[in-house]
Amino acid sequence: MRVWAVANQKGGVGKTTTSIALAGLLAEAGKRVVVVDLDPHGSMTSYFGHNPDALEHSCYDLFLHKGQVPQGLPGQLLLPTSDEKVALLPSSTALATLERQSPGQSGLGLVIAKSLAQLWQDFDYAIIDSPPLLGVLMVNALAASQQLVIPVQTEYLAVKGLERMVNTLAMINRSRKQPLPFSIVPTLFDRRTQASMGTLRVLKDAYPEQIWQGYIPVDTRLRDASRAGQTPSQFDAKSRGVVAYRALLKHLLAQQLVAQVA
Ligand SMILES: Nc1ncnc2c1ncn2[C@@H]1O[C@H](COP(=O)(O)OP(=O)(O)O)[C@@H](O)[C@H]1O
Ligand SMILES: [Mg+2]
């Protein structure tokens, strides 16, 4: 199983949309995918028609055993999505109680890594939708993954948020064997606006190695897909947004091959 985290310490940049779009496209390519909703807001869980305020069991259950994960528990927590090849490890509002804990002291930093290790045989990919706060959950997401996708909204303030995320990553990398490779993905791009064009230029100058050369355009079909509770490619396989996400997936798969060889 390959594990990708989608993270940025800013909200509304397209993390959840990117996680679900990539999961749907991997499923379309025949892969079995587990999506992990580590955001206490539970947007991904809601997207697939489950109510994070009402769920009795969620990812939260995984954190209740002093850092150990009981055999079989992750599999029991899985919920269905609109795509039979995509399973969901749901969020619940209870996760918020963990979010502000200091990651170093609680001993809970590897709970998600251990949980996914139990699902190794059942899935080809795991995609983790991460919370915007730096705490136990973000640390878990980054510790469990082999590749990081950072969606960045193409507007001026976004660059600051990205710097914060890159600093967080540097901190996490100190306790990893190998640094976590990351790809910056410009999102919500509108070529008619100065802000989008200007920000894209700034991003390319600042992170020439890590930035994906494409961008995800503003596409209302992505919003419509979320309203319908379907993955973007199920909802409209030819929309501009899906075409862009397809190109992104191709790039990420190529990056993965480079990482495996290195
Ligand atoms: N490329 C896009 N075009 C249009 N709307 C988008 C696009 N990406 C995301 N959205 C919408 O913007 C909002 C925030 O996106 P979301 O993926 O939930 O961000 P995050 O998870 O970072 O908070 C959602 O309503 C989503 O449907
Ligand atoms: Mg989200």
Side-chain angles (χ1 to χ4, degrees):
M1 178 164 64
R2 300 287 305 175
V3 185
W4 297 353
V6 179
N8 187 330
Q9 273 152 271
K10 204 168 173 309
V13 299
K15 291 186 292 296
T16 301
T17 305
T18 298
S19 304
I20 295 173
L22 292 173
L25 288 168
L26 283 165
E28 189 187 83
K31 306 296 182 196
R32 298 161 305 164
V33 187
V34 56
V35 286
V36 184
D37 190 356
L38 274 193
D39 188 340
H41 294 123
S43 312
M44 181 189 254
T45 301
S46 308
Y47 189 114
F48 288 122
H50 305 284
N51 180 356
D53 299 321
L55 283 180
E56 247 174 79
H57 297 286
S58 73
C59 286
Y60 182 65
D61 299 34
L62 300 167
F63 289 87
L64 301 177
H65 309 276
K66 300 194 168 73
Q68 299 309 311
V69 178
Q71 192 58 37
L73 182 58
Q76 288 161 20
L77 297 173
L78 296 176
L79 294 177
T81 71
S82 60
D83 188 318
E84 60 177 16
K85 284 197 142 59
V86 181
L88 168 71
L89 254 179
S91 168
S92 67
T93 23
L95 272 180
T97 60
L98 293 169
E99 196 164 43
R100 284 173 191 280
Q101 282 188 30
S102 155
Q105 285 158 18
S106 62
L108 297 178
L110 292 174
V111 167
I112 294 299
K114 289 174 188 169
S115 302
L116 291 177
Q118 286 196 26
L119 301 173
W120 217 251
Q121 303 290 330
D122 303 325
F123 296 98
D124 303 301
Y125 282 86
I127 297 185
I128 306 174
D129 188 9
S130 313
L133 253 171
L134 174 55
V136 166
L137 297 172
M138 170 83 84
V139 166
N140 265 274
L142 299 185
S145 33
Q146 297 137 0
Q147 205 166 336
L148 170 64
V149 176
I150 310 179
V152 179
Q153 186 175 355
T154 44
E155 45 117 49
Y156 292 118
L157 284 175
V159 182
K160 268 262 156 296
L162 174 59
E163 282 170 11
R164 208 174 312 136
M165 188 64 227
V166 169
N167 289 339
T168 296
L169 184 58
M171 187 197 82
I172 302 267
N173 277 340
R174 272 180 240 135
S175 56
R176 285 179 67 99
K177 281 194 220 99
Q178 287 167 354
L180 181 61
F182 67 99
S183 298
I184 295 168
V185 176
T187 58
L188 289 148
F189 183 82
D190 181 351
R191 61 160 64 247
R192 293 164 306 181
T193 68
Q194 263 316 99
S196 273
M197 296 300 281
T199 309
L200 193 58
R201 212 171 310 118
V202 170
L203 290 174
K204 284 186 174 172
D205 286 347
Y207 300 95
E209 302 282 316
Q210 293 89 357
I211 194 163
W212 170 49
Q213 291 301 320
Y215 57 78
I216 307 299
V218 170
D219 179 1
T220 54
R221 300 297 278 167
L222 293 171
R223 267 183 219 132
D224 297 342
S226 81
R227 210 166 299 127
Q230 294 182 321
T231 67
S233 48
Q234 280 180 319
F235 183 75
D236 184 352
K238 297 205 167 75
S239 62
R240 282 166 3 108
V242 171
V243 169
Y245 275 116
R246 245 180 242 291
L248 172 63
L249 177 61
K250 206 171 154 198
H251 169 77
L252 294 174
L253 292 173
Q255 290 288 97
Q256 172 175 299
L257 287 179
V258 173
Q260 276 167 351
V261 170

